[in-house]
Amino acid sequence: MAEPMLKAQNALPQGEALVLGDTRIDVLPMPRMTSLMPGPGHAALAKALRKHHGLDLPDPGGRVSSDEGECLWFGLGQYMLIGPAPSPLLAGAATLTEQSDAWTSVLLEGPLARQVLARLTPLDLRDASLPLGATARSEIAHMMGSLTRVGSEAFRLMVFRSMAQTLLHELKDTLEAVAARQAL
Amino acid sequence: MRLSKGGRIDRSRAVSFTFDGRALSGHPGDTLASALLASGQKVVGRSFKYHRPRGVFSAGSEEPNALVTLGAGARREPNVRATMQELFDGLEAQSQNCWPSLDWDLLEVNDLFADFLGAGFYYKTFMWPRKAWEWLYEPAIRRAAGLGALSGQPDPEPNEKAFAHCDLLVIGGGPAGLMVALQAGRAGADVILCDEDHEPGGRLLSEVEEIAGAPAMEWVAATLAELEAMDNVRIMIRTTVTGVYDQGTFGALERVGRHMKHRPGPLPLDCFWRIAAKASVLAAGALERPVAFQDNDRPGVMLAGAMRSYLNRYAVAPGDAVTVFGNNDDAHRTARDLLAAGVHVAGLVDSRPGAATDLDLPFYAGAQVTRASGRMGLEAVSIRTPSGEVKLQSDALAVSGGWNPSLHLTCHLNGRPEWSETLAAFLPRPGVVPGMQVAGAATGIFTTAGCLASGAEAAGKALETLGLSVPPLDLPQAGEQGYGVQPLWAVAGNGRAWLDLANDVTVKDVRQAASENFRSVEHMKRYTTQGMAPDQGKISNLGAMAVLADATGRDVAATGITTYRPPYVPVPIAALGAGGKGKGFAPERLTTSHAQSLAMSAPMIEAGLWYRPSYFPRTGEKHWRQSCDREVAHVREAVGVADVSTLGKIDLQGRDAARFLDLVYTNTFSTLKEGRARYGVMLREDGHVMDDGTTARIGPEHFVMTTTTAAAGEVMGHLEFVSQVLVPGWDVRLISVTEQWAQFAVAGPQSRALLEELLGRDLSDAALSFMGTMPIEIGGVEGRLFRISFSGELAYEIAVPARYGESLFTRLVGMAEARGGGAYGMEALNVLRIEKGFLTHAELHGRTTAFDLGLERWMSPSKSFICKAAASRPGLLAEDRERLIGLRPVGASKMIPPGAFLFNEGDEAVRENAQGYVTSSCYSPTLGETIALGFLKSGPERIGEHLRLVDHLREAVTICEVCETCFLDPEGERTRG
Amino acid sequence: MRMTCPLCGARDLREFTFRGAALARPEGDDWNEAWHDYLHLRDNPAGESREYWAHAAGCGAVLLVTRDTRTHEIFAVEQARGAGA
Ligand SMILES: [Zn+2]
């Protein structure tokens, strides 16, 4: 096979970025991401999503996932389908917009994760307001972002691709400071 | 001197430190102040204005005197309160505000001229000549009247900011605060307990007291142990809550790394916390206040409660012979504790006539201290008793004028305290901070038993508001000390009696202010500077108000108190600005061609948060202009490639998308055909231009809008507002796709050939005419091609998903170079657009209208659009408005700097005569001359006129000719290929 | 300051962007007194104020906020879309 004309390049090197003790920062692979905007009334999208992807439409601040993929609440009138290519049959129920290249995802996981985030986002990260599986749109290190609690000590952070390096740099610096404090 | 036993210090270890170079030692558990006192260091600083020797006065964050400088070089830290600084091995402290030395300070001469340096001195004396203020008076005053100095070097220390959230914030870890935390913790609330000290306990750390029949600190230890075992309780020591803000938001300063010599590199010095709490309890205790009498600032005079702290907590005897002076029972405890520690008490002086004591010491009831003697340290105390004058030989004097509840935080949201005649103090007014209870000494309850009960009660109320049930509680037995304060603010007499030690304000100064009619507390404060030092008058405010009340014939309640504002203690700017240095200043947005541009040695410039290449230097080019001129020539003669991904791209879909565009743009988009793009102008609500750009229709109900880089965020916010607020019923779905696409301009006569080669397809006018758009595919990657031009050349913009951006950029540049062209940067892009008279935000600067910009033909007369009414105001359409024109130099000078003003040739170059101004200019390599854009009164009617351009700042004077805005190919033949 | 977004819950002020007083917008494209009032003669109420705030760093919703400019107490936060403002 001939060399492809254009080579894909991620905003950040994939995989492990920093591990300090049991807390780690990993750059996640770029999944297929499609914005779903149902417009007035969500019923048709809820039905279509269930039918074609086996996913329920999440409530605000929610996330629904299955083996096939995930649907993330992404703000007013917007959902993000993560993983599968969207069924063309969704098109009647929502506006589909390709967003796979627009976001960078980083996983922050470990006992210090919450303390790191307390220095980067004004969000209330306690269990009561951000239980497992909850998602929020908020500021992350002064950048518009999306934060999803994917494990008891694991958070997936998403910012625009152009700001990926800033996110990584802020996360690393903050983890180092928090780890130094922990070591006192 | 250190006592042989007692105290909460670790005598098994010695801690070495230096003060003004002298090697001293203390113990773990000491503060710098206690270690200095233990080492016999009486004088620790010089006063602000008169340079009088001063000693440690308090044992907490309210300290007015013992400010020192720590460290050296860039790490030098001025104005550190020795009373708050935990001692560590290797600490280096310097005294402040003295020269050449602490013992021999030349500026002490100020003290001899005190009569001339009183209230309002600066305002009255340094009036004339006015110019001397800047170069003589102010620098001299600042040097003489000063605090410690900053290093003048960039701050190398890391700091941090953080957020915390809780149900209940407890401010203060004394008996009341601990009781609140205990009850709330047991009830299951999420609790944060902040304590300023490095060890909770509050006054209990300093008092000889019992709780539940055992030493009080045992109760503290047991309570802390229980709290620490609770997952829902977080104890933050070394953390001062500094401010109260709306909806349960608090600021707090945590001193993270100030108590150690060798901090691990990334460990912050301070952390500034923003704490969001559903409810709060203020249990900040109380601050003792002194009594003013002649020379009451002598080293060795300190607050009575502070003396107990040094005695009981740090095992430091404040002197060999101590006098205690007070107007309340609490002062007696100091005498009692001194006797118990075996310190000689020269006398207990109680101003209350009927006072009595069981203590075995010389006791003077109804007596007052009239003077302290001893310049470098207290030697004797003069007292006036009912039976005559007495002089007591003393090297230390404990003073208590009573206690003021620490209610500062209750006033941060505009609350005013209320006066209590019984306690002779201001008390917090209930309910002035929503969700906040006040407990313990902060409410004027000064017994330990009362504090515990008050804490339990406040916890109960807070838990109720949180919807949690109150756990049962047996209040432990604790002390029920008497207080019985009788107000005494200033002892009558001659000489100077200090109110505000930190700013050197005396009773006389306040009386003088009153006599000059500065009767309001706020006026008196600013005239005398009382309460304006780093300690914010924590110790002195009430005394000063009382003296003012007396001088103006009012009572204290009617006189009032100055407003307490955040921060409660000084907060370093470095903590507030934590994380904002270097790369932390703002997020960096990098394009997909960033790495490649750097590899091509392009200097990057900031465009908002974005970084864009300025130009791409080639071997042999020594000046940016050489590169820029070459890049312009590439585009004009061959083909150039530029990354334009930073332009905002907004995807609009929905049944009403076309109608929506008609509303937000001045011109019509509903008539735009699929596969076509159109230039559009967008106005602000007030009729001025917000932004411009092109919008393409790529489906029946599908558009892609382009905004300028500068206004991308503003336009998106505007569109969201219009769709959600102005036309909420319309079906329009907006999403930014700026980040999804990498987009490159390919411009120049050879652009078509280049793209035909890349895409392997025909791009003739028939396939894609000017202002057309079409989907494309590059080796299986789907993208989009637009035939639009910001250079006036035959040009395209090609977009691919961002992951392919770097690859496509590299490929396009290579292909352009093969055709005698190459990449071009922002400098060339700017030249190209000025040559064509195209606009950027230099022209769309917020004060220009479509009419000013020559865009009136884009204002559709046949449809409605946002702000059509405002844009039609006669004032915005007047012929003599400053309107867009072109300029070229015609005289000897060729300089046309942006920002320069335009004048009629005969007119004086003053503001009133200005005819207009320059917004953009460049050297045009295509035309071989300098060209510019600007705004000129009645501009388009003055083509051919000569004007005098004056740039007062850069001292340029240039004769210019007014010309059309388009300097090159006005018919647009090149664009159409 | 904190506001409770109907979609996102209680959030810090920094996530929100002020979008001006919530006033009835005049009809029509001709400049007249009503437009003049709307554009230039703004009240500066000491007390209850109705304002638009965008949850710009959050869900993106434009919110209609009723609050007291003296005490900063917030009486109501609702989505502007559907609030009939
Ligand atoms: Zn929201």
Side-chain angles (χ1 to χ4, degrees):
Chain A
M1 206 173 118
E3 184 94 335
M5 283 186 76
L6 297 179
K7 275 191 295 198
Q9 174 75 48
N10 295 315
L12 296 170
Q14 306 289 282
E16 176 182 318
L18 181 66
V19 179
L20 282 180
D22 293 331
T23 305
R24 49 186 302 129
I25 300 167
D26 289 280
V27 177
L28 297 172
M30 286 172 73
R32 182 73 187 265
M33 288 179 53
T34 311
S35 156
L36 311 175
M37 292 188 291
H42 294 184
L45 176 60
K47 200 171 153 196
L49 198 64
R50 170 124 289 278
K51 186 168 170 195
H52 304 298
H53 292 284
L55 293 166
D56 288 324
L57 201 60
D59 290 330
R63 169 194 191 229
V64 173
S65 57
S66 72
D67 291 345
E68 195 205 348
E70 146 186 12
C71 185
L72 193 66
W73 176 83
F74 215 66
L76 176 68
Q78 202 192 136
Y79 302 86
M80 197 67 90
L81 180 64
I82 301 177
S87 159
L89 298 172
L90 291 179
T95 293
L96 312 185
T97 313
E98 173 68 65
Q99 290 280 280
S100 310
D101 295 51
W103 296 88
T104 291
S105 307
V106 176
L107 183 70
L108 172 65
E109 183 171 20
L112 301 183
R114 224 186 300 212
Q115 291 181 54
V116 170
L117 287 176
R119 282 148 181 83
L120 296 174
T121 171
L123 276 180
D124 184 351
L125 302 161
R126 291 177 296 163
D127 289 344
S129 45
L130 198 76
L132 187 62
T135 187
R137 296 296 308 268
S138 183
E139 266 189 22
I140 303 170
H142 307 288
M143 296 174 283
M144 227 166 77
S146 154
L147 184 152
T148 306
R149 187 156 172 208
V150 294
S152 67
E153 289 182 332
F155 300 86
R156 183 184 60 199
L157 312 175
M158 287 166 50
V159 300
F160 281 146
R161 177 191 173 105
S162 69
M163 294 186 258
Q165 295 198 19
T166 296
L167 175 68
L168 193 59
H169 149 88
E170 293 278 351
L171 279 172
K172 284 171 153 179
D173 279 9
T174 310
L175 176 55
E176 280 169 358
V178 168
R181 194 193 257 258
Q182 200 70 17
L184 284 183
Chain B
M1 294 310 120
R2 190 77 74 179
L3 296 167
S4 58
K5 60 182 171 44
R8 300 182 62 75
I9 48 167
D10 176 4
R11 290 175 195 261
S12 67
R13 287 200 291 139
V15 172
S16 309
F17 70 103
T18 65
F19 181 67
D20 284 345
R22 200 153 67 91
L24 299 169
S25 97
H27 295 291
D30 262 324
T31 61
L32 175 57
S34 68
L36 285 169
L37 287 170
S39 308
Q41 182 71 39
K42 285 224 146 159
V43 182
V44 296
R46 289 276 177 164
S47 74
F48 181 68
K49 197 154 84 174
Y50 302 123
H51 291 251
R52 284 167 67 100
R54 291 284 169 79
V56 174
F57 196 71
S58 76
S61 64
E62 69 273 29
E63 176 61 29
N65 285 344
L67 303 187
V68 299
T69 297
L70 291 198
R75 294 196 148 75
R76 184 164 82 189
E77 178 84 19
N79 306 332
V80 173
R81 287 153 296 173
T83 50
M84 294 292 287
Q85 178 60 51
E86 293 165 57
L87 197 66
F88 57 79
D89 218 25
L91 181 149
E92 294 171 8
Q94 267 86 43
S95 58
Q96 293 182 170
N97 206 26
C98 51
W99 188 84
S101 79
L102 188 56
D103 292 336
W104 175 245
D105 178 357
L106 281 178
L107 281 165
E108 194 175 354
V109 70
N110 281 3
D111 201 32
L112 301 176
F113 295 109
D115 283 351
F116 306 101
L117 292 168
F121 161 73
Y122 301 131
Y123 306 121
K124 290 169 184 164
T125 312
F126 300 108
M127 294 287 286
W128 186 91
R130 237 169 97 177
K131 280 208 161 164
W133 179 256
E134 267 176 41
W135 63 267
L136 177 62
Y137 297 147
E138 188 176 337
I141 290 169
R142 286 204 184 280
R143 180 141 26 89
L147 295 160
L150 293 164
S151 71
Q153 297 173 46
D155 179 12
E157 305 284 6
N159 284 285
E160 70 180 9
K161 285 193 286 199
F163 296 90
H165 302 262
C166 62
D167 297 332
L168 180 66
L169 174 66
V170 184
I171 303 162
L178 287 172
M179 182 52 83
V180 177
L182 191 62
Q183 278 294 81
R186 286 174 177 169
D190 262 348
V191 177
I192 292 179
L193 170 69
C194 291
D195 193 84
E196 184 168 68
D197 213 318
H198 62 271
E199 182 176 23
R203 278 305 303 171
L204 298 178
L205 291 161
S206 298
E207 304 289 7
V208 180
E209 284 224 27
E210 292 198 339
I211 295 180
M217 284 310 291
E218 287 182 18
W219 178 83
V220 171
T223 304
L224 283 173
E226 184 176 345
L227 291 173
E228 275 157 11
M230 294 181 189
D231 281 344
N232 55 323
V233 176
R234 173 170 174 186
I235 300 171
M236 295 173 68
I237 54 168
R238 301 188 179 97
T239 305
T240 309
V241 175
T242 57
V244 179
Y245 306 90
D246 293 312
Q247 281 84 36
T249 307
F250 298 80
L253 180 71
E254 180 190 11
R255 299 176 304 282
V256 182
R258 291 185 178 274
H259 56 289
M260 60 193 89
K261 171 90 173 168
H262 299 289
R263 269 183 298 114
L267 187 77
L269 202 57
D270 291 317
C271 179
F272 188 74
W273 289 91
R274 270 74 56 99
I275 303 172
K278 288 192 193 124
S280 60
V281 176
L282 177 68
L287 293 176
E288 200 166 16
R289 60 204 190 201
V291 177
F293 52 85
Q294 186 178 355
D295 295 333
N296 59 332
D297 64 326
R298 292 305 187 197
V301 180
M302 70 166 66
L303 293 166
M307 193 177 279
R308 293 203 296 279
S309 295
Y310 291 114
L311 196 66
N312 298 327
R313 182 175 179 184
Y314 302 107
V316 174
D320 295 325
V322 185
T323 298
V324 178
F325 173 38
N327 63 348
N328 61 80
D329 292 347
D330 199 52
H332 293 218
R333 305 176 82 189
T334 305
R336 182 197 70 188
D337 293 355
L338 285 164
L339 290 177
V343 179
H344 173 63
V345 179
L348 171 58
V349 183
D350 193 321
S351 63
R352 297 170 299 175
T357 181
D358 299 336
L359 298 171
D360 181 17
L361 42 60
F363 181 63
Y364 305 91
Q368 297 176 343
V369 171
T370 53
R371 180 169 190 182
S373 323
R375 194 177 68 89
M376 296 301 286
L378 187 68
E379 288 161 12
V381 175
S382 307
I383 62 174
R384 186 191 299 135
T385 75
S387 55
E389 306 276 329
V390 179
K391 198 162 188 177
L392 301 174
Q393 293 305 310
S394 297
D395 56 355
L397 171 65
V399 184
S400 177
W403 292 81
N404 291 329
S406 291
L407 49 78
H408 309 68
L409 297 184
T410 67
C411 300
H412 286 182
L413 298 185
N414 251 352
R416 306 296 295 185
E418 56 195 355
W419 178 251
S420 159
E421 208 60 52
T422 325
L423 295 174
F426 281 102
L427 298 184
R429 208 178 283 272
V432 289
V433 173
M436 179 187 274
Q437 312 289 330
V438 189
T443 57
I445 295 167
F446 296 140
T447 66
T448 304
C451 284
L452 294 173
S454 162
E457 190 191 334
K461 285 183 186 160
L463 290 171
E464 216 167 282
T465 64
L466 293 169
L468 294 169
S469 49
V470 183
L473 174 73
D474 276 336
L475 272 176
Q477 283 276 304
E480 305 258 14
Q481 311 86 337
Y483 182 43
V485 69
Q486 282 181 17
L488 174 64
W489 310 106
V491 174
N494 297 319
R496 282 176 294 160
W498 262 261
L499 289 165
D500 184 340
L501 294 164
N503 254 0
D504 263 346
V505 180
T506 64
V507 169
K508 208 169 117 191
D509 292 323
V510 173
R511 290 193 182 281
Q512 186 186 333
S515 75
E516 294 183 32
N517 215 21
F518 292 95
R519 294 166 58 89
S520 137
V521 288
E522 301 287 356
H523 292 161
M524 181 279 287
K525 167 181 172 170
R526 282 154 185 84
Y527 194 56
T528 62
T529 73
Q530 183 278 321
M532 291 167 69
D535 70 338
Q536 290 285 292
K538 285 192 181 61
I539 287 173
S540 63
N541 279 337
L542 190 56
M545 302 316 147
V547 169
L548 180 70
D550 182 56
T552 54
R554 295 173 291 178
D555 57 24
V556 180
T559 306
I561 189 101
T562 44
T563 313
Y564 295 120
R565 296 190 180 86
Y568 174 72
V569 293
V571 179
I573 296 280
L576 292 174
K581 285 190 288 190
K583 280 189 177 289
F585 180 69
E588 293 176 345
R589 297 184 80 173
L590 307 181
T591 62
T592 59
S593 64
H594 189 81
Q596 188 59 26
S597 298
L598 291 182
M600 294 164 76
S601 308
M604 305 303 282
I605 54 167
E606 292 170 47
L609 297 177
W610 289 101
Y611 285 76
R612 304 186 73 181
S614 233
Y615 54 94
F616 296 85
R618 284 190 183 172
T619 316
E621 290 173 351
K622 293 187 178 63
H623 190 273
W624 70 268
R625 262 282 306 285
Q626 291 174 303
S627 310
C628 175
D629 289 359
R630 171 184 48 76
E631 289 171 15
V632 170
H634 283 167
V635 175
R636 295 279 177 236
E637 290 158 21
V639 59
V641 175
D643 193 329
V644 293
S645 309
T646 61
L647 273 72
K649 293 176 282 290
I650 299 168
D651 190 282
L652 297 104
Q653 302 191 55
R655 255 189 341 276
D656 299 305
R659 194 176 158 205
F660 183 78
L661 287 168
D662 281 352
L663 180 66
V664 296
Y665 275 129
T666 60
N667 48 324
T668 309
F669 279 81
S670 49
T671 54
L672 188 66
K673 294 196 166 49
E674 255 179 77
R676 304 292 302 165
R678 186 171 283 171
Y679 176 76
V681 181
M682 201 177 283
L683 301 188
R684 282 196 319 234
E685 189 87 276
D686 63 1
H688 291 76
V689 175
M690 175 187 291
D691 198 35
D692 69 348
T694 54
T695 291
R697 188 170 209 162
I698 60 177
E701 294 179 355
H702 193 176
F703 295 81
V704 178
M705 174 188 287
T706 308
T707 75
T708 59
T709 302
E714 186 188 356
V715 169
M716 189 67 192
H718 175 67
L719 299 185
E720 288 284 7
F721 185 83
V722 172
S723 81
Q724 292 182 46
V725 178
L726 300 187
V727 291
W730 293 13
D731 177 19
V732 190
R733 307 167 201 184
L734 303 165
I735 182 171
S736 165
V737 291
T738 309
E739 296 275 343
Q740 169 65 23
W741 299 98
Q743 193 155 318
F744 304 99
V746 181
Q750 293 199 45
S751 58
R752 175 180 286 147
L754 185 155
L755 287 169
E756 283 181 337
E757 182 192 330
L758 176 76
L759 301 174
R761 65 191 286 175
D762 168 38
L763 291 177
S764 65
D765 282 349
L768 186 66
S769 62
F770 182 54
M771 295 305 271
T773 177
M774 60 194 252
I776 52 159
E777 197 209 286
I778 312 172
V781 174
E782 289 178 4
R784 179 157 285 279
L785 188 66
F786 302 86
R787 187 166 159 198
I788 51 183
S789 175
F790 196 55
S791 57
E793 294 300 325
L794 170 68
Y796 301 81
E797 288 186 9
I798 180 168
V800 290
R803 73 184 71 189
Y804 301 108
E806 180 172 310
S807 178
L808 178 60
F809 179 75
T810 309
R811 196 173 188 99
L812 288 172
V813 170
M815 292 172 79
E817 283 172 352
R819 291 169 184 273
Y824 65 102
M826 293 295 287
E827 294 295 346
L829 193 144
N830 196 40
V831 172
L832 292 162
R833 70 99 192 168
I834 295 173
E835 287 177 343
K836 286 295 294 177
F838 292 154
L839 308 174
T840 67
H841 278 268
E843 285 76 37
L844 314 180
H845 58 47
R847 291 180 295 121
T848 48
T849 64
F851 175 75
D852 301 339
L853 294 159
L855 299 172
E856 58 268 37
R857 70 202 160 91
W858 297 95
M859 311 242 279
S860 167
S862 58
K863 70 163 182 95
S864 184
F865 56 83
I866 293 222
C867 309
K868 191 171 190 180
S872 72
R873 280 178 285 174
L876 296 192
L877 298 167
E879 292 295 320
D880 64 349
R881 281 181 65 85
E882 289 172 342
R883 293 157 64 192
L884 189 70
I885 42 106
L887 292 166
R888 62 196 324 164
V890 290
S893 163
K894 304 295 179 201
M895 268 182 77
I896 310 190
F901 280 85
L902 303 169
F903 301 93
N904 288 327
E905 273 193 290
D907 284 355
E908 196 192 341
V910 293
R911 181 178 54 82
E912 293 81 350
N913 292 336
Q915 295 291 303
Y917 55 95
V918 180
T919 51
S920 306
S921 82
C922 68
Y923 174 77
S924 162
T926 318
L927 303 167
E929 64 174 346
T930 301
I931 55 172
L933 298 174
F935 290 88
L936 176 67
K937 286 181 177 170
S938 307
E941 292 152 36
R942 299 170 70 175
I943 304 295
E945 260 185 50
H946 284 195
L947 294 168
R948 190 159 66 103
L949 169 150
V950 180
D951 186 322
H952 295 83
L953 214 56
R954 281 157 286 200
E955 297 183 338
V957 179
T958 306
I959 305 299
C960 293
E961 182 191 311
V962 181
C963 49
E964 300 285 353
T965 56
C966 182
F967 295 88
L968 185 77
D969 183 28
E971 305 306 320
E973 285 165 13
R974 300 166 76 108
T975 313
R976 288 183 163 74
Chain C
M1 182 168 158
R2 293 174 71 76
M3 274 198 279
T4 302
C5 170
L7 290 171
C8 305
R11 295 295 184 92
D12 192 88
L13 175 66
R14 73 201 58 231
E15 294 186 5
F16 300 91
T17 309
F18 184 62
R19 302 270 347 179
L23 304 171
R25 209 162 166 275
E27 298 284 322
D29 289 337
D30 293 322
W31 184 249
N32 53 31
E33 278 303 307
W35 273 108
H36 174 61
D37 269 10
Y38 171 74
L39 201 55
H40 298 130
L41 306 181
R42 294 294 178 103
D43 289 335
N44 183 13
E48 188 173 303
S49 169
R50 276 156 50 88
E51 298 156 359
Y52 291 119
W53 290 78
H55 194 187
C59 64
V62 180
L63 306 173
L64 179 61
V65 177
T66 313
R67 65 181 194 104
D68 193 315
T69 58
R70 295 165 307 181
T71 62
H72 299 181
E73 184 181 354
I74 295 171
F75 303 118
V77 182
E78 50 192 323
Q79 265 196 65
R81 175 178 275 162

